[in-house]
PDB file of all heavy atoms in Angstrom:
ATOM      1  N   GLN A 206     -10.916  12.197  14.769  1.00  0.00           N
ATOM      2  CA  GLN A 206      -9.784  11.929  15.563  1.00  0.00           C
ATOM      3  C   GLN A 206      -8.721  11.338  14.724  1.00  0.00           C
ATOM      4  O   GLN A 206      -7.493  11.710  14.781  1.00  0.00           O
ATOM      5  CB  GLN A 206     -10.198  11.010  16.769  1.00  0.00           C
ATOM      6  CG  GLN A 206      -9.089  10.808  17.697  1.00  0.00           C
ATOM      7  CD  GLN A 206      -9.460   9.758  18.723  1.00  0.00           C
ATOM      8  OE1 GLN A 206      -9.812   8.676  18.489  1.00  0.00           O
ATOM      9  NE2 GLN A 206      -9.423  10.160  20.039  1.00  0.00           N
ATOM     10  N   PHE A 207      -9.017  10.297  13.922  1.00  0.00           N
ATOM     11  CA  PHE A 207      -8.073   9.510  13.145  1.00  0.00           C
ATOM     12  C   PHE A 207      -7.439  10.580  12.068  1.00  0.00           C
ATOM     13  O   PHE A 207      -6.207  10.560  11.917  1.00  0.00           O
ATOM     14  CB  PHE A 207      -8.712   8.415  12.346  1.00  0.00           C
ATOM     15  CG  PHE A 207      -7.835   7.539  11.544  1.00  0.00           C
ATOM     16  CD1 PHE A 207      -6.904   6.733  12.198  1.00  0.00           C
ATOM     17  CD2 PHE A 207      -7.853   7.772  10.185  1.00  0.00           C
ATOM     18  CE1 PHE A 207      -6.063   5.973  11.288  1.00  0.00           C
ATOM     19  CE2 PHE A 207      -6.964   7.028   9.404  1.00  0.00           C
ATOM     20  CZ  PHE A 207      -6.129   6.092   9.908  1.00  0.00           C
ATOM     21  N   ILE A 208      -8.238  11.319  11.440  1.00  0.00           N
ATOM     22  CA  ILE A 208      -7.769  12.300  10.426  1.00  0.00           C
ATOM     23  C   ILE A 208      -6.786  13.322  11.144  1.00  0.00           C
ATOM     24  O   ILE A 208      -5.668  13.632  10.564  1.00  0.00           O
ATOM     25  CB  ILE A 208      -8.827  13.144   9.772  1.00  0.00           C
ATOM     26  CG1 ILE A 208      -9.758  12.280   8.982  1.00  0.00           C
ATOM     27  CG2 ILE A 208      -8.395  14.315   9.019  1.00  0.00           C
ATOM     28  CD1 ILE A 208      -9.128  11.786   7.669  1.00  0.00           C
ATOM     29  N   SER A 209      -7.169  13.720  12.222  1.00  0.00           N
ATOM     30  CA  SER A 209      -6.350  14.728  12.993  1.00  0.00           C
ATOM     31  C   SER A 209      -4.918  14.195  13.291  1.00  0.00           C
ATOM     32  O   SER A 209      -3.909  14.848  12.937  1.00  0.00           O
ATOM     33  CB  SER A 209      -6.900  15.287  14.291  1.00  0.00           C
ATOM     34  OG  SER A 209      -8.315  15.615  14.055  1.00  0.00           O
ATOM     35  N   PHE A 210      -4.886  12.970  13.843  1.00  0.00           N
ATOM     36  CA  PHE A 210      -3.518  12.487  14.138  1.00  0.00           C
ATOM     37  C   PHE A 210      -2.842  12.056  12.878  1.00  0.00           C
ATOM     38  O   PHE A 210      -1.527  12.154  12.860  1.00  0.00           O
ATOM     39  CB  PHE A 210      -3.689  11.269  15.123  1.00  0.00           C
ATOM     40  CG  PHE A 210      -3.911  11.594  16.503  1.00  0.00           C
ATOM     41  CD1 PHE A 210      -5.175  11.564  17.082  1.00  0.00           C
ATOM     42  CD2 PHE A 210      -2.875  11.946  17.302  1.00  0.00           C
ATOM     43  CE1 PHE A 210      -5.444  11.902  18.419  1.00  0.00           C
ATOM     44  CE2 PHE A 210      -3.086  12.368  18.681  1.00  0.00           C
ATOM     45  CZ  PHE A 210      -4.337  12.276  19.218  1.00  0.00           C
ATOM     46  N   SER A 211      -3.487  11.693  11.795  1.00  0.00           N
ATOM     47  CA  SER A 211      -2.864  11.308  10.588  1.00  0.00           C
ATOM     48  C   SER A 211      -2.218  12.432   9.972  1.00  0.00           C
ATOM     49  O   SER A 211      -1.100  12.353   9.479  1.00  0.00           O
ATOM     50  CB  SER A 211      -3.905  10.621   9.666  1.00  0.00           C
ATOM     51  OG  SER A 211      -4.379   9.469  10.202  1.00  0.00           O
ATOM     52  N   MET A 212      -2.923  13.542   9.921  1.00  0.00           N
ATOM     53  CA  MET A 212      -2.418  14.806   9.304  1.00  0.00           C
ATOM     54  C   MET A 212      -1.176  15.215  10.012  1.00  0.00           C
ATOM     55  O   MET A 212      -0.200  15.669   9.377  1.00  0.00           O
ATOM     56  CB  MET A 212      -3.472  15.835   9.311  1.00  0.00           C
ATOM     57  CG  MET A 212      -4.699  15.668   8.342  1.00  0.00           C
ATOM     58  SD  MET A 212      -4.192  15.540   6.659  1.00  0.00           S
ATOM     59  CE  MET A 212      -3.980  13.819   6.360  1.00  0.00           C
ATOM     60  N   TRP A 213      -1.173  15.172  11.325  1.00  0.00           N
ATOM     61  CA  TRP A 213       0.100  15.513  12.076  1.00  0.00           C
ATOM     62  C   TRP A 213       1.260  14.691  11.663  1.00  0.00           C
ATOM     63  O   TRP A 213       2.348  15.148  11.518  1.00  0.00           O
ATOM     64  CB  TRP A 213      -0.259  15.525  13.588  1.00  0.00           C
ATOM     65  CG  TRP A 213       1.069  15.471  14.339  1.00  0.00           C
ATOM     66  CD1 TRP A 213       1.538  14.565  15.171  1.00  0.00           C
ATOM     67  CD2 TRP A 213       1.935  16.548  14.505  1.00  0.00           C
ATOM     68  NE1 TRP A 213       2.700  14.905  15.732  1.00  0.00           N
ATOM     69  CE2 TRP A 213       3.017  16.160  15.297  1.00  0.00           C
ATOM     70  CE3 TRP A 213       2.171  17.935  13.995  1.00  0.00           C
ATOM     71  CZ2 TRP A 213       4.115  16.951  15.642  1.00  0.00           C
ATOM     72  CZ3 TRP A 213       3.268  18.671  14.168  1.00  0.00           C
ATOM     73  CH2 TRP A 213       4.226  18.147  15.106  1.00  0.00           C
ATOM     74  N   GLN A 214       1.017  13.369  11.719  1.00  0.00           N
ATOM     75  CA  GLN A 214       2.149  12.488  11.424  1.00  0.00           C
ATOM     76  C   GLN A 214       2.519  12.506  10.021  1.00  0.00           C
ATOM     77  O   GLN A 214       3.857  12.400   9.749  1.00  0.00           O
ATOM     78  CB  GLN A 214       1.773  10.980  11.756  1.00  0.00           C
ATOM     79  CG  GLN A 214       1.615  10.702  13.240  1.00  0.00           C
ATOM     80  CD  GLN A 214       2.980  10.853  14.017  1.00  0.00           C
ATOM     81  OE1 GLN A 214       4.047  10.870  13.394  1.00  0.00           O
ATOM     82  NE2 GLN A 214       2.899  11.015  15.253  1.00  0.00           N
ATOM     83  N   ILE A 215       1.664  12.810   9.025  1.00  0.00           N
ATOM     84  CA  ILE A 215       2.041  13.059   7.645  1.00  0.00           C
ATOM     85  C   ILE A 215       3.015  14.297   7.560  1.00  0.00           C
ATOM     86  O   ILE A 215       3.982  14.235   6.877  1.00  0.00           O
ATOM     87  CB  ILE A 215       0.858  13.146   6.737  1.00  0.00           C
ATOM     88  CG1 ILE A 215       0.157  11.695   6.669  1.00  0.00           C
ATOM     89  CG2 ILE A 215       1.249  13.609   5.314  1.00  0.00           C
ATOM     90  CD1 ILE A 215      -1.202  11.770   5.891  1.00  0.00           C
ATOM     91  N   TRP A 216       2.559  15.342   8.294  1.00  0.00           N
ATOM     92  CA  TRP A 216       3.291  16.577   8.166  1.00  0.00           C
ATOM     93  C   TRP A 216       4.724  16.339   8.831  1.00  0.00           C
ATOM     94  O   TRP A 216       5.764  16.793   8.382  1.00  0.00           O
ATOM     95  CB  TRP A 216       2.662  17.638   8.952  1.00  0.00           C
ATOM     96  CG  TRP A 216       3.432  18.947   9.160  1.00  0.00           C
ATOM     97  CD1 TRP A 216       3.889  19.392  10.416  1.00  0.00           C
ATOM     98  CD2 TRP A 216       3.982  19.820   8.304  1.00  0.00           C
ATOM     99  NE1 TRP A 216       4.646  20.464  10.219  1.00  0.00           N
ATOM    100  CE2 TRP A 216       4.744  20.793   8.898  1.00  0.00           C
ATOM    101  CE3 TRP A 216       3.859  19.913   6.879  1.00  0.00           C
ATOM    102  CZ2 TRP A 216       5.316  21.877   8.248  1.00  0.00           C
ATOM    103  CZ3 TRP A 216       4.454  20.941   6.114  1.00  0.00           C
ATOM    104  CH2 TRP A 216       5.234  21.890   6.916  1.00  0.00           C
ATOM    105  N   ASN A 217       4.726  15.683   9.899  1.00  0.00           N
ATOM    106  CA  ASN A 217       6.033  15.279  10.565  1.00  0.00           C
ATOM    107  C   ASN A 217       6.910  14.492   9.760  1.00  0.00           C
ATOM    108  O   ASN A 217       8.129  14.744   9.618  1.00  0.00           O
ATOM    109  CB  ASN A 217       5.719  14.558  11.964  1.00  0.00           C
ATOM    110  CG  ASN A 217       6.895  14.431  12.768  1.00  0.00           C
ATOM    111  OD1 ASN A 217       7.646  15.399  12.954  1.00  0.00           O
ATOM    112  ND2 ASN A 217       7.109  13.240  13.434  1.00  0.00           N
ATOM    113  N   LEU A 218       6.269  13.469   8.987  1.00  0.00           N
ATOM    114  CA  LEU A 218       7.100  12.621   8.068  1.00  0.00           C
ATOM    115  C   LEU A 218       7.584  13.583   6.877  1.00  0.00           C
ATOM    116  O   LEU A 218       8.677  13.356   6.432  1.00  0.00           O
ATOM    117  CB  LEU A 218       6.216  11.525   7.448  1.00  0.00           C
ATOM    118  CG  LEU A 218       6.753  10.742   6.484  1.00  0.00           C
ATOM    119  CD1 LEU A 218       8.119  10.067   7.022  1.00  0.00           C
ATOM    120  CD2 LEU A 218       5.751   9.625   5.974  1.00  0.00           C
ATOM    121  N   ARG A 219       6.736  14.459   6.351  1.00  0.00           N
ATOM    122  CA  ARG A 219       7.171  15.320   5.296  1.00  0.00           C
ATOM    123  C   ARG A 219       8.329  16.143   5.666  1.00  0.00           C
ATOM    124  O   ARG A 219       9.267  16.312   4.876  1.00  0.00           O
ATOM    125  CB  ARG A 219       5.944  16.330   4.919  1.00  0.00           C
ATOM    126  CG  ARG A 219       6.314  17.301   3.889  1.00  0.00           C
ATOM    127  CD  ARG A 219       6.480  16.574   2.516  1.00  0.00           C
ATOM    128  NE  ARG A 219       6.820  17.605   1.477  1.00  0.00           N
ATOM    129  CZ  ARG A 219       8.068  18.066   1.266  1.00  0.00           C
ATOM    130  NH1 ARG A 219       9.131  17.667   2.026  1.00  0.00           N
ATOM    131  NH2 ARG A 219       8.218  19.030   0.256  1.00  0.00           N
TER     132      ARG A 219
END
Side-chain angles (χ1 to χ4, degrees):
Q206 183 187 59
F207 181 76
I208 291 291
S209 301
F210 281 102
S211 297
M212 290 297 95
W213 162 248
Q214 287 298 339
I215 289 173
W216 169 249
N217 192 40
L218 176 61
R219 175 69 180 84

